[in-house]
């Protein structure tokens, strides 16, 4: 499903690796009576894989009871055995579900399938901000302001509920086909951090180095201001085409957030 449009541009080894990953994710599903489907989660028919990362797997699904498409996010296979994390995942998801705002991807349901918790979310037709940056390099000031206002509005609604995102980055911002902005994955990074994830062993799970606040990078307590710092990093990249800091390892990038001088964005894009 997810491979059908991309295999022609990949090497045989890459194709084999992606097929192996896909088979791993398919084992999270139950069988479907519809041969066109990838599988089933509860009453939801799974059409294909939308994406995956160190923390979770996201499927496109069809909800027959409401006759609509949804997105379903499940824990990554390696995290399923952790009972502590599953409890925290569900608790944070319940908090995130309380955030109802036009600029936040809505959570419709929280449940479990074969011992694996999952979220049922709004299926957003569009592209991530990361994909847009990859195609265009950087955005116009007008577009940066339009996107920035909507990201900030979504965060404001979350902060009003006492929820901190902790992983603001281009991949977690969706642009719909009609131009609306949706922030995804509220509270998930906190659940992982509380479950004992460490800076060095699971960095790609608890945060993304290019957008970490100094508090996150140094392991200190975080609050809403950490999200604002990450938004600043996001704006910097939207305008300049690259994040404010880079390095050979995530830890090296994190240390720069704490102590390195920042190149003014006007030096890159006057």
């Amino acid at each position: 499903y997810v491979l059908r449009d991309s295999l022609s541009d990949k090497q045989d080894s890459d194709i084999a690796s992606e097929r192996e990953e896909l088979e791993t994710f398919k084992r999270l599903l139950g069988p479907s009576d519809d041969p066109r489907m990838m599988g089933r989660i509860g009453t939801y028919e799974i059409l294909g894989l939308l994406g995956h990362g160190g923390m979770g797997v996201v499927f496109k699904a069809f909800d027959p009871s409401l006759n609509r498409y949804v997105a379903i996010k499940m824990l990554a296979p390696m995290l399923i055995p952790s009972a502590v994390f599953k409890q925290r995942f569900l608790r944070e998801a319940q908090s995130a579900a309380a955030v109802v705002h036009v600029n936040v991807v809505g959570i419709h349901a929280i449940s479990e399938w074969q011992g694996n918790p999952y979220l049922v979310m709004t299926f957003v037709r569009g592209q991530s901000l990361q994909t847009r940056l990859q195609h265009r390099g950087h955005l116009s000031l007008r577009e940066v302001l339009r996107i920035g206002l909507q990201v900030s509005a979504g965060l404001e609604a979350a902060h009003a509920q006492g929820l901190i995102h902790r992983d603001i980055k281009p991949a977690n911002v969706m642009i719909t086909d009609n131009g609306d902005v949706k922030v995804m994955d509220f509270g998930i990074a906190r659940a992982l951090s509380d479950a004992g994830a460490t800076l060095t062993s699971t960095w790609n799970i608890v945060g993304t180095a290019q957008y970490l606040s100094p508090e996150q990078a140094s392991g200190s307590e975080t609050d809403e201001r950490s999200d604002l710092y990450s938004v600043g990093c996001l704006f910097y990249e939207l305008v300049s085409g690259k994040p404010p800091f880079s390095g050979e390892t995530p830890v090296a990038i994190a240390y720069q957030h704490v102590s390195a001088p920042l190149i003014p964005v006007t030096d890159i894009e006057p």
Side-chain angles (χ1 to χ4, degrees):
Y1 294 83
V2 72
L3 301 177
R4 66 183 184 272
D5 295 326
S6 58
L7 290 181
S8 59
D9 297 328
K10 294 182 178 294
Q11 299 295 323
D12 289 345
S13 59
D14 294 333
I15 295 173
S17 176
E18 290 197 5
R19 288 193 186 279
E20 185 177 349
E21 277 188 333
L22 188 60
E23 289 302 316
T24 298
F25 299 145
K26 286 176 70 173
R27 287 195 284 271
L28 296 172
L29 311 176
S32 172
D33 295 331
D34 188 338
R36 298 170 299 174
M37 298 296 168
M38 187 177 179
R40 182 172 56 86
I41 297 174
T43 60
Y44 300 96
E45 297 287 348
I46 306 302
L47 288 85
L49 183 68
L50 290 175
H52 63 89
M55 189 220 62
V57 183
V58 183
F59 298 99
K60 181 179 179 180
F62 181 70
D63 181 354
S65 63
L66 296 176
N67 192 34
R68 66 178 179 183
Y69 293 109
V70 295
I72 293 182
K73 183 164 193 172
M74 304 188 82
L75 284 181
M78 68 176 182
L79 297 176
I80 294 173
S82 172
V84 172
F85 177 70
K86 286 194 286 188
Q87 292 171 0
R88 295 188 184 277
F89 178 88
L90 290 171
R91 187 182 67 199
E92 292 295 331
Q94 290 167 350
S95 298
V99 182
V100 180
H101 192 272
V102 66
N103 298 124
V104 175
V105 172
I107 296 177
H108 305 306
I110 305 166
S111 190
E112 288 195 18
W113 169 252
Q114 297 178 342
N116 187 1
Y118 66 88
L119 314 178
V120 182
M121 304 178 293
T122 302
F123 174 69
V124 178
R125 298 183 184 275
Q127 63 178 184
S128 71
L129 190 52
Q130 180 178 4
T131 299
R132 181 164 294 191
L133 281 171
Q134 288 171 344
H135 289 164
R136 296 174 51 183
H138 64 87
L139 308 182
S140 68
L141 181 58
R142 179 181 293 275
E143 194 168 12
V144 171
L145 292 172
R146 182 181 64 80
I147 292 171
L149 285 168
Q150 294 185 69
V151 169
S152 299
L155 282 174
E156 185 177 32
H159 293 166
Q161 295 287 337
L163 191 65
I164 307 168
H165 193 289
R166 292 178 175 84
D167 196 20
I168 290 294
K169 58 184 178 182
N172 280 339
V173 177
M174 291 292 296
I175 312 295
T176 69
D177 288 344
N178 63 5
D180 292 335
V181 176
K182 306 278 187 180
V183 182
M184 303 188 299
D185 278 357
F186 275 93
I188 304 304
R190 178 180 179 181
L192 279 155
S193 180
D194 288 349
T198 64
L199 183 76
T200 54
S201 64
T202 53
W203 189 282
N204 62 323
I205 299 175
V206 301
T208 305
Q210 288 85 350
Y211 314 97
L212 286 181
S213 69
E215 294 76 26
Q216 288 174 285
S218 60
S220 303
E221 189 68 26
T222 58
D223 59 22
E224 293 89 344
R225 290 169 293 183
S226 288
D227 281 348
L228 300 186
Y229 181 93
S230 298
V231 169
C233 294
L234 181 71
F235 289 176
Y236 188 105
E237 183 173 7
L238 295 183
V239 172
S240 69
K242 62 181 183 180
F245 298 113
S246 60
E248 294 184 358
T249 67
V251 173
I253 299 171
Y255 287 147
Q256 293 181 67
H257 285 287
V258 176
S259 59
L262 179 68
I263 298 174
V265 71
T266 50
D267 288 359
I268 302 171
E269 181 58 51

